[in-house]
Amino acid sequence: MGKVLELDRVYKAYKFGFIPKKKQVLKGISFYVNEGEIFGYLGPNGAGKTTTIKSILNLIFPDAGRITIFGEDSLKPRAREKVGFLPENPYFYDYLTGREFLAFYADLLGIHGQQKEEKIKYFLNLVGMEKAADLQLRKYSRGMLQRVGLAQALLNDPALVILDEPMGGLDPIGRKEFRDIIVNLKKEGKTVFLSSHILQDIEMICDRVAIILAGEIVNQGYLGDLISEKVLYTEVIVAGLPASEFSHLGESVSASGNRVLLKVYEEQHIDRIIRLVQEKNGKIISLIPRTETLEDIFVGLVKNQ
Amino acid sequence: MKVSTIARNTFKEAKRDRVLYLLLFFAILCFLLSRFLGLLTVGDRVKIIKDVGLASISLFGMLMAILMGTGLVYKEIDKKTIFTLLAKPIHRWEFLLGKYLGLVLTIFIMTVLMSVIFLVVLFLHTFTIEWSLLIAILYIFFELCLMTAVALVFSTFSTPILASLYSLAFYLIGHLSWSLELLIKKIKSGGGRAILKVLYIILPDLENFNFKTEVVHQLPIPTKLLGLSFAYGLVYTAFLLLLAILIFRRRDFI
């Protein structure tokens, strides 16, 4: 498995104000993306996610460090030939219709004639925008722009697709559809670089993640390696017995009707609860061990900062 | 190919701009007004119509070039449309050149429109068409191409309002710098004269494109002068485009 994208100690500072004040945005970012994986780039707002992506795409120039795309220096336009990009909050020429918009990008990418028509039709269909294809982009909702933006990013059949907060403006159904499209891209053998601050999205579909906080990569690796399999606590729902019966065994979180939700931290207590319920003719409704989630890691890291 | 795609799109965008039609409207108003102005004049009325007409094409064309040219790149950055565009495998110079050519095409069409209306107004007065006027108009167009490049240079690093002011200043300097030439002839040689000479070389001389007087008064124009003026425009415009590309090449789009 080759490396599709590699960043090596990338630094970037912005200067603000009349008397320029330096603000270090990227502080030596290093990570790589393997071929064929969905890579999640996770970080809170203002951590440097978009700056990283802009550095990759040559929209800004890093102060130091090296970025390679398919082994090619990112400074060369040729490096972007096999890259598709959907920016956060996509902004496009709003006087164009959806179809004209895709035709413009197809022309830029050197796709012409019959192939161009076919591709436009295929991608409009893929993102579910064929009905609005002849509407001007100014009349599109944010979700619709996001969809047509994704079509634009896929036009050149890219091997690496970079998506910056792709599910930001979408409704739940739209998010699911987007997730399905991204997973399908992976099935087609494409590599996906996905930046987001929405943990569930990343946890659901990403193979590997890197977490960026205040311009530094604080953790990266396979999702399975990052999240420990250790059981943090077990959630037990018991029916037919009052919460007071279990006060010494676990923390009672809530009680409704005759049901009690318990948070049990020690494993041997679970056996005792089961026995107690059996003895007193109660009923165990559910018993779910909770392992660490990406959210736990993320919140922990942010708090440490 | 990429350049022409961007140029076509720029033209598509530019022709939607209302400023363009507002300026065209005022230009037409000036052509019509010139007929009334002619009535008030003692002597050759036709000369007034020609003078005002050519000056209007020049002035409103210049305003079109500056007002649209200065927003050209700024709008792309401000509206963030540039992000998806430059993320494609295109060079930044291709983007700039495409933008420039798209606007030059717009200016060309507007100049043609203004000229046709001007010639029609003139024809209704004289019932003859003077083809020599086209030479003056052609050189006005060359000047507008140069002014578009000026606006583009300023728009790569500044906001539209500032860029418009800079471009306007360039235009004024360009039309007044010929007086330096007079001054150079009048003062004695020495340090002052040398400085003035350098200044004259650096500053643009837009009067090189002004053949209005010759055409209106039907004076002969040496072919050599036409050739030199054309070459001057070409070299100066190329220099400005190169400058714009150099500034734009290393710009961060935050």
Side-chain angles (χ1 to χ4, degrees):
Chain A
M1 222 168 17
K3 287 175 188 170
V4 166
L5 173 70
E6 193 168 9
L7 280 83
D8 185 22
R9 282 161 292 166
V10 174
Y11 288 84
K12 179 68 192 176
Y14 290 140
K15 284 178 187 143
F16 294 105
F18 185 65
I19 302 163
K21 255 191 189 167
K22 235 182 169 184
K23 186 176 182 271
Q24 197 70 38
V25 184
L26 300 181
K27 302 166 186 167
I29 298 271
S30 297
F31 65 81
Y32 61 88
V33 178
N34 289 323
E35 192 184 340
E37 69 180 5
I38 301 180
F39 184 86
Y41 196 47
L42 190 64
N45 294 328
K49 296 193 295 290
T50 302
T51 303
T52 310
I53 291 177
K54 283 183 182 169
S55 304
I56 295 169
L57 294 165
N58 217 7
L59 291 170
I60 59 171
F61 297 89
D63 302 327
R66 195 177 143 81
I67 302 172
T68 45
I69 309 172
F70 300 105
E72 196 95 49
D73 195 317
S74 70
L75 293 176
K76 293 178 191 158
R78 211 175 49 204
R80 296 192 295 276
E81 256 165 29
K82 287 188 278 178
V83 177
F85 168 54
L86 171 64
E88 182 186 7
N89 306 323
Y91 299 93
F92 305 120
Y93 302 110
D94 56 8
Y95 50 88
L96 297 179
T97 67
R99 200 184 299 280
E100 286 170 340
F101 165 76
L102 290 182
F104 169 65
Y105 281 98
D107 284 340
L108 269 187
L109 293 162
I111 305 165
H112 304 291
Q114 185 73 22
Q115 199 195 5
K116 177 169 129 184
E117 298 304 318
E118 278 168 15
K119 281 210 164 191
I120 291 172
K121 208 175 156 194
Y122 172 77
F123 283 111
L124 280 172
N125 190 33
L126 180 79
V127 297
M129 287 298 294
E130 61 281 280
K131 275 185 191 154
D134 296 311
L135 263 179
Q136 274 185 326
L137 296 192
R138 67 173 78 235
K139 290 173 188 143
Y140 278 23
S141 69
R142 201 175 150 205
M144 288 159 92
L145 282 176
Q146 209 92 353
R147 283 160 186 266
V148 83
L150 183 67
Q152 162 273 133
L154 299 177
L155 262 180
N156 57 335
D157 195 21
L160 169 65
V161 186
I162 297 177
L163 308 170
D164 192 2
E165 304 276 1
M167 293 175 247
L170 298 176
D171 56 28
I173 296 168
R175 284 165 73 130
K176 183 179 176 315
E177 285 176 0
F178 249 62
R179 272 202 303 269
D180 290 346
I181 293 173
I182 294 170
V183 171
N184 269 330
L185 291 175
K186 185 191 168 183
K187 280 185 193 154
E188 287 170 22
K190 297 187 197 315
T191 310
V192 181
F193 178 97
L194 178 74
S195 121
S196 183
H197 60 252
I198 303 169
L199 294 146
Q200 291 91 324
D201 293 338
I202 292 220
E203 202 163 17
M204 258 185 228
I205 56 176
C206 290
D207 301 305
R208 264 177 1 105
V209 293
I211 301 175
I212 178 174
L213 281 181
E216 283 174 284
I217 300 282
V218 288
N219 211 341
Q220 62 176 314
Y222 285 96
L223 209 53
D225 295 343
L226 288 183
I227 302 168
S228 71
E229 294 294 315
K230 203 183 106 202
V231 176
L232 295 175
Y233 59 87
T234 309
E235 274 180 9
V236 186
I237 300 177
V238 179
L241 291 173
S244 55
E245 293 275 352
F246 309 101
S247 56
H248 59 295
L249 297 171
E251 187 187 326
S252 151
V253 181
S254 69
S256 68
N258 66 344
R259 289 182 178 193
V260 181
L261 169 63
L262 297 168
K263 232 175 171 181
V264 185
Y265 290 96
E266 284 170 59
E267 234 172 299
Q268 63 268 31
H269 285 176
I270 293 168
D271 291 335
R272 286 173 65 186
I273 289 173
I274 294 170
R275 255 180 274 133
L276 194 72
V277 172
Q278 280 172 343
E279 277 166 22
K280 304 221 165 171
N281 287 329
K283 202 176 170 189
I284 290 184
I285 306 290
S286 73
L287 201 147
I288 307 163
R290 292 280 179 207
T291 51
E292 200 174 28
T293 61
L294 194 55
E295 187 174 334
D296 297 321
I297 298 175
F298 189 60
V299 172
L301 284 169
V302 174
K303 272 186 185 160
N304 282 343
Q305 283 274 318
Chain B
M1 195 59 217
K2 287 168 190 167
V3 173
S4 72
T5 305
I6 294 170
R8 263 181 286 141
N9 192 54
T10 305
F11 174 65
K12 215 176 207 175
E13 186 182 354
K15 73 177 182 195
R16 297 176 52 86
D17 204 325
R18 283 193 198 124
V19 171
L20 208 59
Y21 301 102
L22 195 72
L23 290 172
L24 185 66
F25 169 76
F26 278 112
I28 295 168
L29 209 64
C30 283
F31 298 149
L32 298 175
L33 217 65
S34 69
R35 288 201 65 170
F36 295 104
L37 223 56
L39 291 176
L40 299 173
T41 320
V42 185
D44 200 343
R45 278 188 201 170
V46 183
K47 279 199 179 102
I48 291 293
I49 297 175
K50 285 183 194 167
D51 253 343
V52 174
L54 288 175
S56 301
I57 294 174
S58 174
L59 177 74
F60 290 105
M62 180 272 291
L63 287 176
M64 282 174 195
I66 289 181
L67 291 178
M68 302 198 63
T70 50
L72 215 58
V73 175
Y74 182 82
K75 247 196 263 170
E76 291 264 356
I77 299 170
D78 193 43
K79 289 191 172 178
K80 300 181 181 177
T81 46
I82 200 164
F83 292 170
T84 30
L85 206 61
L86 290 186
K88 299 272 179 273
I90 65 169
H91 290 275
R92 289 191 175 186
W93 65 262
E94 288 175 316
F95 168 79
L96 267 194
L97 203 61
K99 286 262 134 196
Y100 175 72
L101 292 177
L103 193 55
V104 164
L105 178 67
T106 316
I107 299 284
F108 175 74
I109 289 171
M110 283 294 146
T111 310
V112 168
L113 265 175
M114 286 192 286
S115 307
V116 168
I117 297 165
F118 163 60
L119 290 174
V120 167
V121 170
L122 193 65
F123 180 78
L124 290 177
H125 195 76
T126 61
F127 296 103
T128 51
I129 292 179
E130 274 183 59
W131 297 109
S132 63
L133 285 171
L134 290 181
I135 292 176
I137 293 171
L138 182 69
Y139 277 81
I140 288 173
F141 174 67
F142 290 155
E143 184 186 344
L144 295 180
C145 290
L146 195 150
M147 280 312 296
T148 308
V150 170
L152 187 71
V153 170
F154 290 127
S155 94
T156 52
F157 64 87
S158 136
T159 58
I161 292 177
L162 275 181
S164 299
L165 287 176
Y166 295 149
S167 307
L168 213 58
F170 183 98
Y171 182 79
L172 290 177
I173 292 169
H175 277 286
L176 297 172
S177 63
W178 60 271
S179 53
L180 277 178
E181 205 182 0
L182 282 182
L183 193 62
I184 290 167
K185 279 178 192 158
K186 295 227 164 120
I187 63 170
K188 284 176 201 155
S189 56
R193 192 168 166 180
I195 291 170
L196 283 179
K197 268 190 172 170
V198 171
L199 209 58
Y200 179 66
I201 291 168
I202 295 171
L203 292 177
D205 188 356
L206 296 177
E207 280 299 309
N208 280 335
F209 303 106
N210 187 358
F211 292 106
K212 295 185 202 85
T213 321
E214 286 87 339
V215 167
V216 170
H217 295 274
Q218 286 162 339
L219 303 169
I221 308 168
T223 325
K224 197 182 158 196
L225 193 63
L226 286 176
L228 275 176
S229 290
F230 175 72
Y232 180 79
L234 204 66
V235 171
Y236 215 115
T237 306
F239 163 73
L240 288 168
L241 289 178
L242 201 68
L243 192 66
I245 288 165
L246 283 177
I247 296 169
F248 199 61
R249 208 167 62 110
R250 298 295 293 179
R251 211 193 136 149
D252 280 340
F253 301 110
I254 298 169

